[in-house]
Structure formats: structure tokens, C-alpha cells
Amino acid sequence: MARVPSAVLTVPHRLRRVLRASARRHRTRRRPTPAALAPAPRSRPLTRALGLVTVVVLGAWLGLLVVGDVRVPVGPMNTTMTLRPSLTGGTKINLSPLGALQLESHTAPVRLDVNIDQLDPDRSQALVNHPERLSGLQDEVARDIAHGTADLAVRSGVAVVTGATALGLAVYRRPRRALAAGGLALALLAASGGTAYATWNPDSVLEPKFSGLLSSAPSLVGNARSIVTEFDVYQKELARLVTNVTKLYDATSTLPAYQPDPTTIRVLHVSDIHLNPASWKIIASLVEQYRVDVIVDSGDTMDHGTAAENGFLDPVEDLGAPYVWVRGNHDSLVTQRYLERMKNVHVLDDGRAVTLAGLRFAGIGDPQFTPDRSRTSGAEQSQELAGARLASALRDQRAAGTPVDVAVAHEPSAAREVDGTVPLVLAGHLHHEEMEVMRYGTRLRVEGSTGGSGLRAVEGEYPDPIETSILYFDRDTRRLQAWDSIELGGLGLTTAEVSRHLPKENQPGATPSPAPSTPSSATPSTTSP
């Protein structure tokens, strides 16, 4: 048997020892050290910093909400200035009930809100009586705004520091932490102010963004280029605009004695919009400002009644009030079917009745469809027949114990046929306002064009004004108590007038008029006014 050298026999033992040593070294490298098991040293300070920033921002915002505003006279107006947190900055000027305008005046995490509270009667009247003072109005307004902004900056600084300090004390219960929150809030406000100052754009007043009834303001005062090149013309137009805004604000001081209470039913009567898209903004603003309960549209919302025009009606769903509608001679059955699918629209035709906000309405669509304004033979007779059908439906409603309070037709010639069967009938078609009490006691109210006659406004020498009215009804008697006629300047005009009217029976010393009486003989004359 061959003899194996001892060196060869010892190789496996040496190899096992090397492998064991290598395994021990490998386990030692993978074993977590105490330092690795310890939490990251920076995670807790980061959490504290984020918490402190949250407290500062929230406290500063609460402070601004509570005391961060100042009341400042600016030119002929009394205003309230406020700083608000914002992601985009800028300046917003609220001129209720006309709307608002926004200026891209600066870029900062704060926005300047300016609310026009009211016009000072003495200062505004002096400006109206002496339009030449407009030449110095810009400097006066600049001084007033600078004074108000400085006062607002001081007050906002106090509000921000106080709010952040108070919230920091409530959260941390440590004076040092609370003071740190207040200091950080002051630093953030200073940084915001510095950013606003560095990005301030004085030319932003030449390119404002209008909303509400002020949407037509660019057409009133011109664009930035015309203001620069024709400043004297701009001054005259601005004087007219200021004059009419003053009239609008002063209207409430000269209105008759009737004061609607919260239980009064408010109905907005519109008619003959004729595809004017600006009408929807005006109607929505009036619904909000007057807290309107029902909108009544007496027809000619469209111009040609085609399916392509139907998209124009989509804003009706967002007006904020039920919408009662009858077909006009520019509205087709295609238009009517499109409106019938909207959940807040109530299409009245063939004497159909509906009760909304405590009032019962019934109406009939125009029997004529003449978008080209053609005159067909027998048109007047068809209107009389439609009115007679509506009158018959009104008598049936009364016999059933559900009398109608307001009837609606498009043409006055049809509306006259219901005399004696309803207290009030609403119509349009004439593009100007009329009101009369007919022979048997029914009041006929004809609305003007709420669209300023739409695109047809440019056909005449003088465009039609935009007309609408607010009707006030007593909730118990469901009778008309008063109405406000609202007239806004048509294309290129600058008038804005609100006038209140009272029925004779509601005027001081008058006796209530009897209810409409059913005619005992033939139907009264149907001659159109």
C-alpha cells in the first residue's frame, strides 16, 4: 500500500479553517452596528421645523382674518382694504352690485382685496358737478391708496405676529417657542412684502379683468391703447361712467316707501335675449344680488331657433333659480325640446301651469315661428286664438281651485286675451317696457329686451338698452306689490338706472283695487299697442 505524505493529509484541515474564518468575517461585516440601529439624527428636527411652519402660517392667516383690514377713503369712495393669503397674488376690487375687477399688480403669497363699501355723497357729487377735477383724481387716488397701504401693512404686521404668537403659545405652551413663531411670521410677512414690492406692476390698471355687470366695462372706457392715445376722450367717458355709477348707488335713497321683507317673493322678468351671451352674466348677478326666487322668460331667447344655437342655452342651468319659459316667435320647437330636458327649466305651453316659490304660473308659446321677421296672413288672428286658449285654461284652473297668479305669453296681443282671468300677465316682443291695467282689472306687464335686442342692436342708429325688472309679490295675497325697472346701457352706452314703481293701490292713501273680474260680454279689444 502506498504511503501518503503527511503534507497532503493536512490540506483538508487547513481548507476548513480558512472557510470558517472567512464565514466569521462575512457575518461580522453584515451584523448591524449600534450606530446603524440608531434613528437618523436629523429626522426629529425636520419634523419640528415643519410643525413650526404650519403653526406660523395658520396663526398668521387667522390673525389676518380677525383684524387685518383698514377702512380708507379713496377718491369719492369709502373702501375696506384687506390682505389675504394667495398663491398668485394680485389685487381684487369688489364693486357690489356691479361685479369685480382683478389686477395682476404683483406676484406674492398675499392678495390685496379692496371692497367698495359706498360712494361718499358729498365727494361723488362734487366730482359729478365738476368733471374737470378728474384731471387730478389719479394723483388723489394714488395718495389715498399709498396711505391706506401703509396703514394696512402696519396693522397686518401686528395681526400676523399676534396670531402666530398666540397659536404658538396654545400649541407649544412655551414662551420661547411662541416668540419664535411670532418672529418667523414677521419674517415671512416682510419677505412677502419685499416680493410684492419687487414685482409691483403699475401698468396692471391698464389691463384689468372684469366680472359681473362690469364685464362690459372695457367697451365703455376703451382698451389700453385708446386710453393712451385719446386720453381726453377717455376722461369724458370715465366721467359719464362715474356719474351713472353714482346714480345707481344713490337710487335707493329716492325709491318709494315700499320695503320688501324677507318673506317677499322676488321674480326676475326677462325677455327677448336674442342670443346675447352677456345677458347670462347680468341675469346671474341680479339673481344673487336681489335673492331672486323665480326667473320668467317671456320668449325670443334665440334668434333663428336652429339646433346649432342650442348650446347658447346651457348657462340657464347655472343661474341659481327656477327658470320659467314660453316660446317666442324666434324660438322653435327644437329650442323648446332642448330646454325641456333641463331640470331647473319649466316650459309652459298650451296653458300648462306650475307652482314655484308660492306662485302659480301658466303660459302658452307663440303660435308663430318667424325668425326672418316675415309677416304672414292671419298672424294677428292666430295670436288672439292662442290667447283665448290660455284664457280658457286659466278659467279651468280657477274652477279646479288652483287659480293662477301670473300668466305668461310672448306677444302682448295674445296676453290681452286673458284680461279678467288672472291678476297679472307678462309679455315681451316689443323690445321696450310697457305697463297697463286692462279693462277687466288684469295688469299687463311688457318687458323690454334683456339682450339689448341681441345682434340686431347694430342694425339701428341707436342700440336698444338692456332692460329687465324685479317683481315683488306678497306671499300671503300673491299680488304684485312693487317692481324695480333696471336699465343698462346698450352697445356702446354708459347708463345704469334702477327705478322703483308702486301699483296705485299700494301708494299712500289709496284703496286696494278689486280682483280682476271675468268679462260678461265679448272679449275686449285685442289691438296691439
Side-chain angles (χ1 to χ4, degrees):
M1 181 175 180
R3 187 173 181 179
V4 179
S6 60
V8 176
L9 293 176
T10 59
V11 169
H13 299 286
R14 292 178 180 177
L15 181 60
R16 281 196 294 270
R17 285 198 297 270
V18 171
L19 292 176
R20 290 192 187 113
S22 177
R24 283 196 298 270
R25 286 194 300 270
H26 181 69
R27 285 195 298 270
T28 302
R29 283 197 302 267
R30 297 188 60 182
R31 185 178 301 161
T33 62
L37 294 175
R42 295 184 179 181
S43 60
R44 194 170 181 182
L46 180 60
T47 303
R48 289 178 179 177
L50 291 177
L52 180 62
V53 171
T54 302
V55 169
V56 168
V57 172
L58 183 59
W61 179 65
L62 293 175
L64 287 176
L65 288 181
V66 175
V67 295
D69 59 44
V70 295
R71 286 176 171 80
V72 181
V74 176
M77 301 169 291
N78 295 324
T79 70
T80 301
M81 294 185 177
T82 310
L83 284 180
R84 290 284 182 261
S86 171
L87 296 177
T88 58
T91 299
K92 182 178 182 180
I93 301 176
N94 299 302
L95 183 60
S96 179
L98 299 179
L101 60 91
Q102 293 182 333
L103 308 176
E104 295 182 359
S105 56
H106 62 277
T107 302
V110 288
R111 185 186 72 198
L112 175 62
D113 284 355
V114 181
N115 293 316
I116 309 298
D117 299 328
Q118 63 181 5
L119 290 175
D120 184 89
D122 297 332
R123 300 199 304 271
S124 60
Q125 192 61 43
L127 190 61
V128 170
N129 295 337
H130 304 281
E132 66 275 6
R133 295 185 182 181
L134 281 173
S135 59
L137 183 60
Q138 181 177 355
D139 295 334
E140 179 185 350
V141 169
R143 288 194 301 269
D144 293 340
I145 291 178
H147 174 74
T149 303
D151 191 6
L152 179 62
V154 173
R155 181 169 302 206
S156 298
V158 173
V160 164
V161 173
T162 303
T165 303
L167 186 60
L169 189 61
V171 172
Y172 296 114
R173 302 183 183 276
R174 295 179 183 177
R176 292 183 60 183
R177 285 288 185 87
L179 292 176
L184 182 57
L186 184 60
L188 290 177
L189 181 63
S192 300
T195 304
Y197 179 80
T199 59
W200 182 256
N201 178 24
D203 293 335
S204 62
V205 296
L206 298 178
E207 298 180 356
K209 296 180 181 179
F210 298 90
S211 62
L213 298 184
L214 287 175
S215 298
S216 60
S219 64
L220 306 184
V221 300
N223 56 30
R225 183 181 299 274
S226 65
I227 289 174
V228 173
T229 58
E230 302 177 14
F231 190 75
D232 56 336
V233 177
Y234 168 68
Q235 279 190 310
K236 294 177 182 178
E237 292 300 311
L238 184 60
R240 294 174 62 193
L241 183 60
V242 171
T243 300
N244 287 294
V245 170
T246 303
K247 288 181 181 179
L248 183 60
Y249 269 86
D250 291 343
T252 54
S253 63
T254 58
L255 293 178
Y258 175 72
Q259 294 293 330
D261 59 57
T263 64
T264 300
I265 304 173
R266 295 165 169 83
V267 175
L268 174 61
H269 183 198
V270 303
S271 189
D272 296 88
I273 293 175
H274 285 292
L275 284 181
N276 187 347
S279 300
W280 300 131
K281 294 182 180 180
I282 294 172
I283 292 171
S285 180
L286 292 174
V287 168
E288 180 181 359
Q289 296 296 331
Y290 282 86
R291 300 189 298 277
V292 167
D293 298 296
V294 181
I295 305 169
V296 176
D297 186 342
S298 49
D300 273 4
T301 312
M302 311 296 261
D303 209 32
H304 294 87
T306 63
E309 296 173 334
N310 284 343
F312 169 77
L313 300 168
D314 291 343
V316 171
E317 292 184 307
D318 301 320
L319 293 178
Y323 199 88
V324 175
W325 184 84
V326 297
R327 189 178 64 253
N329 61 295
H330 284 262
D331 305 315
S332 65
L333 290 175
V334 173
T335 303
Q336 181 164 313
R337 287 191 289 270
Y338 190 83
L339 281 168
E340 285 174 339
R341 292 195 292 267
M342 296 185 182
K343 58 184 178 181
N344 69 313
V345 177
H346 303 269
V347 174
L348 303 184
D349 198 5
D350 296 324
R352 177 176 178 264
V354 63
T355 300
L356 299 167
L359 291 177
R360 191 159 180 82
F361 300 87
I364 193 167
D366 196 302
Q368 299 289 317
F369 179 53
T370 55
D372 56 355
R373 292 178 289 182
S374 60
R375 306 289 296 181
T376 58
S377 59
E380 189 66 22
Q381 290 77 8
S382 68
Q383 294 293 339
E384 295 174 1
L385 180 60
R389 296 208 324 266
L390 178 57
S392 176
L394 295 175
R395 286 190 289 268
D396 292 342
Q397 290 283 338
R398 180 186 295 176
T402 56
V404 171
D405 305 303
V406 182
V408 190
H410 178 63
E411 291 207 22
S413 55
R416 289 177 178 277
E417 297 294 326
V418 306
D419 188 14
T421 63
V422 68
L424 175 67
V425 58
L426 304 179
H429 185 66
L430 301 183
H431 293 190
H432 64 264
E433 180 184 289
E434 289 186 5
M435 175 79 85
E436 67 169 296
V437 177
M438 296 185 287
R439 178 179 177 183
Y440 295 104
T442 294
R443 183 180 298 275
L444 170 61
R445 167 75 183 172
V446 180
E447 190 56 80
S449 173
T450 310
S453 298
L455 299 178
R456 303 176 189 269
V458 300
E459 296 179 355
E461 182 178 0
Y462 298 102
D464 295 332
I466 293 175
E467 294 181 306
T468 183
S469 56
I470 304 290
L471 312 178
Y472 301 98
F473 292 83
D474 182 87
R475 189 171 294 274
D476 295 328
T477 64
R478 303 189 303 280
R479 300 296 295 269
L480 182 67
Q481 301 298 302
W483 68 93
D484 287 345
S485 296
I486 301 172
E487 181 177 303
L488 303 175
L491 186 65
L493 300 183
T494 56
T495 58
E497 296 181 357
V498 180
S499 58
R500 175 161 296 173
H501 308 272
L502 299 176
K504 290 183 178 180
E505 61 269 21
N506 284 358
Q507 295 178 1
T511 56
S513 62
S517 58
T518 303
S520 56
S521 58
T523 303
S525 172
T526 60
T527 303
S528 177

